[in-house]
Amino acid sequence: MWAEIVLAIAVFGASGVIAGPGDITFNLGKTTGAFHGGASGSLYGLYVDGLPTRNLIEGMNLRTVSTKAQDGPQHPGADALEVLKPLADSTGGDVYIYMTDIYRGFPYEWPGSTPEEKLNDFMAKIVVQVDQVLTLEQKYQDRVVFVPFNEPEGNMFGDGTWSYNKISWRTNPTDYFRAWDQAFALIRSKMPKARIAGPNTSILYEEVRGFMNHTLAKDTFPDVITWHELSNPAVIRTSVAKYRSWEDELFVGTKYAGKHFPINVNEYAFNYHTSVPGQMIQWVSAIEDSKIDADIAYWNIDGNIGDTTVQANRGNGQWWLLNAYGQMTGQTVAVIPPSPGVSYTLQGVATIDVAKKQARALFGGAAGNGIVTFTNIDKAVFGDSVHAIVQEIVWTGQIGDSAQPRILAEVNQAVVNNAVTFNFGTTLPALVESSAYFVILTPNQGATSPSVPPVLWTGSYEAESATYTGSGYSKNGPEGTPSDVGKFFTSGTFNVGGLRTNSNGVLTFSVTVPSTGNYDLAVIANSLNTYSLVADQGPTNVFMRVDGGAEQELFLTLGYKWVVWDHCDTKVYLTQGTHTIALAAASLDGKKVTKGDAIIDRIILSLPNPASTQSIYEAEYATLSGGATTSYGRARSSGSGGVSLTNGQSATFWVYSPIEGESSLDIDTQGDGRGVLTVNGEEIGPVASAQTSYKVFLAGGVNKVTVTGTGSAEQYVDRIAVRQTTGSLLTTWYEAESASINGDVAVVKLSLASGGSAVTNIGGSPGNSNTLTFNVTVPSAGKYVMTVRYSNPEQSPATHYNPDPLARHADITINGDKGGVKRVWFPHSFHINNFWELSLAMKLRAGSNSIQFASQELPDFNGKTYISERLPADLLRSKVGPIVDRIGITPLRRVLVNPDA
């Protein structure tokens, strides 16, 4: 068990050396090149437009996505030309089309009884793929990179059953080189400016040097060099350095002499790393040091950006890590870690932006004490004192929703000998291995420190250290470790099973808390959604007790595999001292029992800080566009400064909400200028010259909140303060079983539906009439938000290690307006009885409104054929919509204070 006190305290330079896992230094006086941002990439990371939302794409500045050929059967979803537009529109990112993923199976099951028949079939499919791209607008064509072959040594040009002729190209490359040249020429003949990537090997084999020699001689050298790195972060630096040395040697005397080509390591990291900020920062630092692009590997489900996003619009700790990384600007600086180039040690990346007068650093990967130092601070930029905000990005599990980074301290600190130092383990909490840390330095010109740490104390208690009584006990593990990266990261490397159907088990934790109060309790748990004991009910129910009483029934979370962690949250009242918290397979009165099967990693207790009544988002840390500039030292500013906006300039804040519902947004401004506030693309209203306050519906998860200048006069934006509130934006709920059903739509009994029932069978084959229609009433015309409580259990049998869940869509028609149909995508919820919420804004008229849900199988890219007809044995596109429990209708906004409204 560990415990820590988290307080808003001053952080002073160390007078002596602290023993710990090592020190890390960021040398702000030595730049290493323009910030690149290349680690924000993913293989099969996007399922379709809306899954994940564009908020999540833009908020992490997703640069590259490698994905399957359009209409390919390799996996459900992730069709290249269906994810291209949301990526290009959100960030200007590139889609790398895995052209081989037009085939099913891995190794790829390409048809043909002879090598020539196989290759001819593939070349014909390449023609189709290029022709599809050529139908797009030029701005989207420019964002495509073709990848003709994927891991050829294990697939088409290896020695396996499905290979070209069972001769590995690494042994004899003749056939592979000829096929590469043919594919290259074919693509360029149809699209002369096409970008082509390769060789896309599973590692950087020595034989890639021969590939380079051949393609240089044949003038078929790829535009982007690609390979995969899946073992450990340190390999990135050594492999890139090796490849660059080959370029320097082989390009001599060629037209490429002195040139370095773009690199995309378009599959990186493994299960042990993904989702864990303290692990992923090590990959991020190596990738950024190397100034390359890279895509997180696809080991699990598609459409979640490599175990980064949760549901449709939420992020785990890894998303917030990449959000912090993606907002970096300026120049990277030299980093001196305790063990340069060594994996599973403290590593980091940092930038300095002189124009913004900001330095930002991300680091992590170690546990215990540590000293973090910024050296060579330019006083002409920062002055004699800096303002610092120190945040922790915690691990919340692979599919556990995370709030924004946790504030540890916000302080002013004198620059001594051109340096400032932060001590973790003394004036700051000790480093946590699974966490990453984020520090921002700005000038201290009378800066204030309004941020308050959200928690006063946190304690984590391992299940394997708890006491288990009763039947069914199992201690499982070790799970993932640096020497076994194929397994999932687990706190303490072990977990406990036993709470399942027909068990009488009780898992009891002894906890000691520092003070009396209401604590947040998170149970870190997992159940496999397809497991036989889970099939009946879905979420596994257990009974939580405090000191043998105060019982609560908890429904633990489901996952797509065993050991994929999420958190089930509740509150408990504890007095100062020692208590027991138990999880049991039966209620105290014996009337209820556990149904399902769950494993437990640990429980976490947190004491909320009563002084933390709002989340503050300082404008000087926001994402700026249109020429907006930071400004410091203005009187009455919170933090260290703010942002100056004029017409068309904007500041964007990535705002977290734990629920779908009402929050209060206070926008603090100064100056004579005016602006406009938008939330998730919806205009909320004008922003005045002082404080403007709105009650606004926020989506659960990540919200894009933007203030844009609207006049020639300067508007100084200081901050946005967000508080979760109730009572102003009232929601009216409508049960689906009370709505109008048509065709084969039916009511089904489900124990966790709000009224015990939900509606299924919406949609079907093209042209079906299976619809669900709600009649809703609102008092006035305007913008409203519809929240859909739904489930989606549809999953295709996996062909290899990837589970293959399907997203379902609903075409939503309001008041019969067929020209304004909204297509909404609902991610897989892991079980028919596991309900999530998803919201969308809409215009409604005063009085009665009809809202119809319809669905049908969507056609291929050509708009004519269907994949269910081409591949009837493979479930790849859903024909039906979500199972709907109920909908809620809520006003989008209400003005509280606005002198100009």
Side-chain angles (χ1 to χ4, degrees), residues 723-766:
R723 301 186 310 279
Q724 188 178 336
T725 55
T726 58
S728 292
L729 305 178
L730 300 180
T731 301
T732 302
W733 290 99
Y734 300 85
E735 293 289 340
E737 61 268 29
S738 300
S740 298
I741 62 176
N742 192 50
D744 295 332
V745 174
V747 176
V748 59
K749 296 286 186 182
L750 293 169
S751 63
L752 297 182
S754 61
S757 298
V759 167
T760 187
N761 295 343
I762 300 168
S765 298

Short mmCIF file of all heavy atoms in Angstrom, two decimals, residues 723-766:
data_model
loop_
_atom_site.label_atom_id
_atom_site.label_comp_id
_atom_site.label_asym_id
_atom_site.label_seq_id
_atom_site.Cartn_x
_atom_site.Cartn_y
_atom_site.Cartn_z
N ARG A 723 -17.68 24.42 -13.62
CA ARG A 723 -18.24 23.74 -12.45
C ARG A 723 -19.41 22.87 -12.90
O ARG A 723 -20.27 23.33 -13.66
CB ARG A 723 -18.76 24.74 -11.41
CG ARG A 723 -17.75 25.70 -10.88
CD ARG A 723 -18.32 26.55 -9.75
NE ARG A 723 -19.60 27.15 -10.07
CZ ARG A 723 -19.75 28.27 -10.79
NH1 ARG A 723 -18.69 28.88 -11.26
NH2 ARG A 723 -20.96 28.76 -11.03
N GLN A 724 -19.43 21.65 -12.42
CA GLN A 724 -20.59 20.79 -12.70
C GLN A 724 -21.74 21.24 -11.82
O GLN A 724 -21.61 21.36 -10.60
CB GLN A 724 -20.24 19.33 -12.42
CG GLN A 724 -21.30 18.35 -12.86
CD GLN A 724 -20.91 16.92 -12.61
OE1 GLN A 724 -19.73 16.59 -12.53
NE2 GLN A 724 -21.90 16.05 -12.45
N THR A 725 -22.89 21.53 -12.44
CA THR A 725 -24.05 22.07 -11.72
C THR A 725 -25.31 21.31 -12.12
O THR A 725 -25.30 20.49 -13.04
CB THR A 725 -24.23 23.57 -12.01
OG1 THR A 725 -24.33 23.77 -13.44
CG2 THR A 725 -23.06 24.38 -11.48
N THR A 726 -26.39 21.62 -11.43
CA THR A 726 -27.69 21.03 -11.74
C THR A 726 -28.76 22.10 -11.56
O THR A 726 -28.53 23.13 -10.92
CB THR A 726 -28.02 19.84 -10.82
OG1 THR A 726 -28.00 20.29 -9.45
CG2 THR A 726 -27.02 18.71 -10.99
N GLY A 727 -29.93 21.85 -12.14
CA GLY A 727 -31.10 22.67 -11.86
C GLY A 727 -31.45 23.71 -12.88
O GLY A 727 -32.57 24.25 -12.84
N SER A 728 -30.55 24.04 -13.81
CA SER A 728 -30.86 25.07 -14.81
C SER A 728 -31.25 24.47 -16.15
O SER A 728 -32.18 24.94 -16.80
CB SER A 728 -29.65 25.99 -14.99
OG SER A 728 -29.43 26.78 -13.84
N LEU A 729 -30.52 23.46 -16.58
CA LEU A 729 -30.81 22.80 -17.86
C LEU A 729 -31.46 21.46 -17.53
O LEU A 729 -30.80 20.44 -17.31
CB LEU A 729 -29.52 22.60 -18.67
CG LEU A 729 -28.70 23.86 -18.94
CD1 LEU A 729 -27.43 23.51 -19.73
CD2 LEU A 729 -29.52 24.91 -19.70
N LEU A 730 -32.79 21.48 -17.47
CA LEU A 730 -33.52 20.30 -17.01
C LEU A 730 -33.73 19.31 -18.15
O LEU A 730 -34.09 19.69 -19.27
CB LEU A 730 -34.87 20.73 -16.43
CG LEU A 730 -34.79 21.69 -15.23
CD1 LEU A 730 -36.18 22.05 -14.75
CD2 LEU A 730 -33.96 21.09 -14.10
N THR A 731 -33.49 18.04 -17.85
CA THR A 731 -33.62 16.97 -18.83
C THR A 731 -34.96 16.27 -18.68
O THR A 731 -35.37 15.93 -17.57
CB THR A 731 -32.49 15.95 -18.66
OG1 THR A 731 -31.23 16.61 -18.81
CG2 THR A 731 -32.59 14.83 -19.69
N THR A 732 -35.62 16.07 -19.82
CA THR A 732 -36.84 15.27 -19.85
C THR A 732 -36.51 13.94 -20.52
O THR A 732 -35.99 13.90 -21.64
CB THR A 732 -37.96 15.97 -20.63
OG1 THR A 732 -38.22 17.24 -20.04
CG2 THR A 732 -39.22 15.14 -20.63
N TRP A 733 -36.82 12.83 -19.81
CA TRP A 733 -36.48 11.50 -20.31
C TRP A 733 -37.69 10.82 -20.92
O TRP A 733 -38.81 10.97 -20.44
CB TRP A 733 -35.93 10.62 -19.19
CG TRP A 733 -34.56 11.06 -18.72
CD1 TRP A 733 -34.26 11.82 -17.64
CD2 TRP A 733 -33.32 10.76 -19.37
NE1 TRP A 733 -32.90 12.02 -17.55
CE2 TRP A 733 -32.30 11.37 -18.60
CE3 TRP A 733 -32.96 10.05 -20.51
CZ2 TRP A 733 -30.95 11.28 -18.94
CZ3 TRP A 733 -31.62 9.96 -20.85
CH2 TRP A 733 -30.63 10.57 -20.08
N TYR A 734 -37.43 10.07 -21.99
CA TYR A 734 -38.46 9.33 -22.72
C TYR A 734 -37.99 7.89 -22.87
O TYR A 734 -36.95 7.62 -23.48
CB TYR A 734 -38.71 9.95 -24.09
CG TYR A 734 -39.18 11.39 -24.05
CD1 TYR A 734 -38.26 12.43 -23.97
CD2 TYR A 734 -40.53 11.71 -24.11
CE1 TYR A 734 -38.68 13.76 -23.94
CE2 TYR A 734 -40.97 13.04 -24.08
CZ TYR A 734 -40.04 14.05 -23.99
OH TYR A 734 -40.46 15.36 -23.96
N GLU A 735 -38.77 6.96 -22.32
CA GLU A 735 -38.42 5.55 -22.41
C GLU A 735 -38.70 5.01 -23.81
O GLU A 735 -39.75 5.29 -24.40
CB GLU A 735 -39.21 4.74 -21.38
CG GLU A 735 -38.85 5.04 -19.93
CD GLU A 735 -37.47 4.53 -19.55
OE1 GLU A 735 -36.95 3.62 -20.25
OE2 GLU A 735 -36.90 5.03 -18.55
N ALA A 736 -37.76 4.21 -24.32
CA ALA A 736 -37.91 3.68 -25.67
C ALA A 736 -39.10 2.74 -25.78
O ALA A 736 -39.79 2.71 -26.83
CB ALA A 736 -36.63 2.97 -26.10
N GLU A 737 -39.38 1.98 -24.72
CA GLU A 737 -40.49 1.03 -24.80
C GLU A 737 -41.84 1.73 -24.87
O GLU A 737 -42.86 1.10 -25.20
CB GLU A 737 -40.44 0.05 -23.63
CG GLU A 737 -40.55 0.68 -22.25
CD GLU A 737 -39.20 1.00 -21.64
OE1 GLU A 737 -38.25 1.27 -22.43
OE2 GLU A 737 -39.09 0.99 -20.41
N SER A 738 -41.87 3.05 -24.57
CA SER A 738 -43.11 3.82 -24.67
C SER A 738 -43.21 4.59 -25.98
O SER A 738 -44.21 5.27 -26.22
CB SER A 738 -43.22 4.80 -23.49
OG SER A 738 -43.22 4.11 -22.26
N ALA A 739 -42.17 4.50 -26.81
CA ALA A 739 -42.18 5.20 -28.10
C ALA A 739 -42.90 4.34 -29.15
O ALA A 739 -43.32 3.20 -28.88
CB ALA A 739 -40.75 5.49 -28.53
N SER A 740 -43.01 4.88 -30.36
CA SER A 740 -43.70 4.17 -31.45
C SER A 740 -42.70 3.28 -32.19
O SER A 740 -41.63 3.73 -32.58
CB SER A 740 -44.30 5.18 -32.43
OG SER A 740 -45.27 5.98 -31.80
N ILE A 741 -43.07 2.02 -32.35
CA ILE A 741 -42.20 1.09 -33.07
C ILE A 741 -42.87 0.66 -34.36
O ILE A 741 -44.09 0.62 -34.47
CB ILE A 741 -41.85 -0.13 -32.19
CG1 ILE A 741 -43.11 -0.92 -31.81
CG2 ILE A 741 -41.09 0.30 -30.95
CD1 ILE A 741 -42.81 -2.19 -31.03
N ASN A 742 -42.03 0.33 -35.33
CA ASN A 742 -42.55 -0.05 -36.64
C ASN A 742 -41.77 -1.25 -37.16
O ASN A 742 -40.58 -1.40 -36.89
CB ASN A 742 -42.42 1.13 -37.61
CG ASN A 742 -43.19 0.91 -38.90
OD1 ASN A 742 -44.38 0.57 -38.86
ND2 ASN A 742 -42.54 1.12 -40.03
N GLY A 743 -42.42 -2.11 -37.93
CA GLY A 743 -41.77 -3.26 -38.53
C GLY A 743 -41.37 -4.28 -37.50
O GLY A 743 -42.16 -4.65 -36.62
N ASP A 744 -40.11 -4.72 -37.57
CA ASP A 744 -39.62 -5.79 -36.70
C ASP A 744 -39.05 -5.27 -35.38
O ASP A 744 -38.53 -6.06 -34.59
CB ASP A 744 -38.53 -6.59 -37.41
CG ASP A 744 -39.06 -7.33 -38.63
OD1 ASP A 744 -40.27 -7.68 -38.63
OD2 ASP A 744 -38.28 -7.55 -39.58
N VAL A 745 -39.12 -3.97 -35.15
CA VAL A 745 -38.61 -3.41 -33.90
C VAL A 745 -39.38 -4.02 -32.73
O VAL A 745 -40.60 -4.18 -32.80
CB VAL A 745 -38.72 -1.88 -33.90
CG1 VAL A 745 -38.33 -1.30 -32.55
CG2 VAL A 745 -37.86 -1.29 -35.01
N ALA A 746 -38.65 -4.37 -31.65
CA ALA A 746 -39.28 -5.08 -30.55
C ALA A 746 -38.75 -4.59 -29.21
O ALA A 746 -37.64 -4.06 -29.12
CB ALA A 746 -39.03 -6.58 -30.69
N VAL A 747 -39.55 -4.79 -28.19
CA VAL A 747 -39.15 -4.48 -26.82
C VAL A 747 -38.53 -5.73 -26.21
O VAL A 747 -39.05 -6.84 -26.35
CB VAL A 747 -40.35 -4.01 -25.99
CG1 VAL A 747 -39.96 -3.80 -24.53
CG2 VAL A 747 -40.94 -2.73 -26.57
N VAL A 748 -37.38 -5.56 -25.52
CA VAL A 748 -36.69 -6.67 -24.90
C VAL A 748 -36.45 -6.34 -23.43
O VAL A 748 -36.14 -5.21 -23.07
CB VAL A 748 -35.36 -6.95 -25.63
CG1 VAL A 748 -34.44 -5.75 -25.61
CG2 VAL A 748 -34.66 -8.17 -25.04
N LYS A 749 -36.63 -7.34 -22.57
CA LYS A 749 -36.39 -7.17 -21.14
C LYS A 749 -34.89 -7.21 -20.87
O LYS A 749 -34.21 -8.16 -21.26
CB LYS A 749 -37.09 -8.27 -20.35
CG LYS A 749 -38.61 -8.26 -20.46
CD LYS A 749 -39.21 -7.12 -19.66
CE LYS A 749 -40.73 -7.18 -19.63
NZ LYS A 749 -41.32 -6.04 -18.89
N LEU A 750 -34.39 -6.18 -20.19
CA LEU A 750 -32.98 -6.13 -19.81
C LEU A 750 -32.87 -5.55 -18.41
O LEU A 750 -33.39 -4.46 -18.14
CB LEU A 750 -32.17 -5.27 -20.81
CG LEU A 750 -32.06 -5.85 -22.22
CD1 LEU A 750 -31.49 -4.82 -23.18
CD2 LEU A 750 -31.19 -7.10 -22.21
N SER A 751 -32.18 -6.26 -17.53
CA SER A 751 -32.21 -5.92 -16.11
C SER A 751 -31.59 -4.57 -15.80
O SER A 751 -31.97 -3.91 -14.82
CB SER A 751 -31.51 -7.00 -15.29
OG SER A 751 -30.13 -7.09 -15.64
N LEU A 752 -30.62 -4.12 -16.60
CA LEU A 752 -29.94 -2.86 -16.31
C LEU A 752 -30.47 -1.70 -17.14
O LEU A 752 -29.93 -0.59 -17.07
CB LEU A 752 -28.43 -3.01 -16.50
CG LEU A 752 -27.76 -4.03 -15.57
CD1 LEU A 752 -26.26 -4.07 -15.80
CD2 LEU A 752 -28.06 -3.73 -14.11
N ALA A 753 -31.51 -1.93 -17.94
CA ALA A 753 -32.19 -0.82 -18.62
C ALA A 753 -32.93 0.01 -17.58
O ALA A 753 -33.35 -0.50 -16.54
CB ALA A 753 -33.14 -1.35 -19.68
N SER A 754 -33.13 1.30 -17.87
CA SER A 754 -33.67 2.20 -16.86
C SER A 754 -35.05 1.79 -16.39
O SER A 754 -35.39 1.91 -15.21
CB SER A 754 -33.70 3.63 -17.39
OG SER A 754 -34.53 3.72 -18.53
N GLY A 755 -35.88 1.29 -17.29
CA GLY A 755 -37.22 0.83 -16.92
C GLY A 755 -37.36 -0.66 -16.98
O GLY A 755 -38.49 -1.18 -16.99
N GLY A 756 -36.23 -1.37 -17.06
CA GLY A 756 -36.26 -2.82 -17.16
C GLY A 756 -36.43 -3.34 -18.56
O GLY A 756 -36.43 -4.55 -18.78
N SER A 757 -36.59 -2.43 -19.53
CA SER A 757 -36.77 -2.84 -20.93
C SER A 757 -36.07 -1.85 -21.85
O SER A 757 -35.83 -0.69 -21.49
CB SER A 757 -38.26 -2.90 -21.30
OG SER A 757 -38.95 -3.85 -20.53
N ALA A 758 -35.76 -2.31 -23.05
CA ALA A 758 -35.17 -1.48 -24.09
C ALA A 758 -35.72 -1.95 -25.42
O ALA A 758 -36.48 -2.93 -25.50
CB ALA A 758 -33.66 -1.55 -24.05
N VAL A 759 -35.34 -1.25 -26.49
CA VAL A 759 -35.88 -1.54 -27.82
C VAL A 759 -34.75 -2.00 -28.73
O VAL A 759 -33.69 -1.38 -28.80
CB VAL A 759 -36.59 -0.30 -28.40
CG1 VAL A 759 -36.88 -0.50 -29.89
CG2 VAL A 759 -37.88 -0.05 -27.65
N THR A 760 -34.99 -3.09 -29.44
CA THR A 760 -34.00 -3.69 -30.31
C THR A 760 -34.56 -3.84 -31.72
O THR A 760 -35.71 -3.52 -31.99
CB THR A 760 -33.54 -5.05 -29.75
OG1 THR A 760 -32.44 -5.53 -30.53
CG2 THR A 760 -34.67 -6.06 -29.76
N ASN A 761 -33.72 -4.32 -32.64
CA ASN A 761 -34.08 -4.62 -34.04
C ASN A 761 -34.38 -3.37 -34.86
O ASN A 761 -35.13 -3.45 -35.84
CB ASN A 761 -35.27 -5.58 -34.11
CG ASN A 761 -34.96 -6.94 -33.54
OD1 ASN A 761 -33.80 -7.30 -33.37
ND2 ASN A 761 -36.00 -7.70 -33.22
N ILE A 762 -33.80 -2.24 -34.51
CA ILE A 762 -33.92 -1.05 -35.37
C ILE A 762 -33.06 -1.28 -36.60
O ILE A 762 -31.87 -1.57 -36.49
CB ILE A 762 -33.47 0.22 -34.62
CG1 ILE A 762 -34.32 0.46 -33.37
CG2 ILE A 762 -33.49 1.43 -35.53
CD1 ILE A 762 -33.77 1.51 -32.44
N GLY A 763 -33.64 -1.16 -37.78
CA GLY A 763 -32.88 -1.31 -39.01
C GLY A 763 -32.91 -2.71 -39.56
O GLY A 763 -33.74 -3.54 -39.19
N GLY A 764 -31.97 -2.98 -40.48
CA GLY A 764 -31.90 -4.27 -41.15
C GLY A 764 -31.32 -4.12 -42.54
O GLY A 764 -30.44 -3.29 -42.78
N SER A 765 -31.83 -4.88 -43.47
CA SER A 765 -31.35 -4.82 -44.85
C SER A 765 -31.74 -3.49 -45.49
O SER A 765 -32.66 -2.81 -45.02
CB SER A 765 -31.93 -5.98 -45.65
OG SER A 765 -31.51 -7.22 -45.11
N PRO A 766 -31.06 -3.10 -46.57
CA PRO A 766 -31.40 -1.83 -47.24
C PRO A 766 -32.88 -1.75 -47.59
O PRO A 766 -33.48 -2.71 -48.07
CB PRO A 766 -30.52 -1.87 -48.49
CG PRO A 766 -29.34 -2.71 -48.11
CD PRO A 766 -29.89 -3.77 -47.19
#
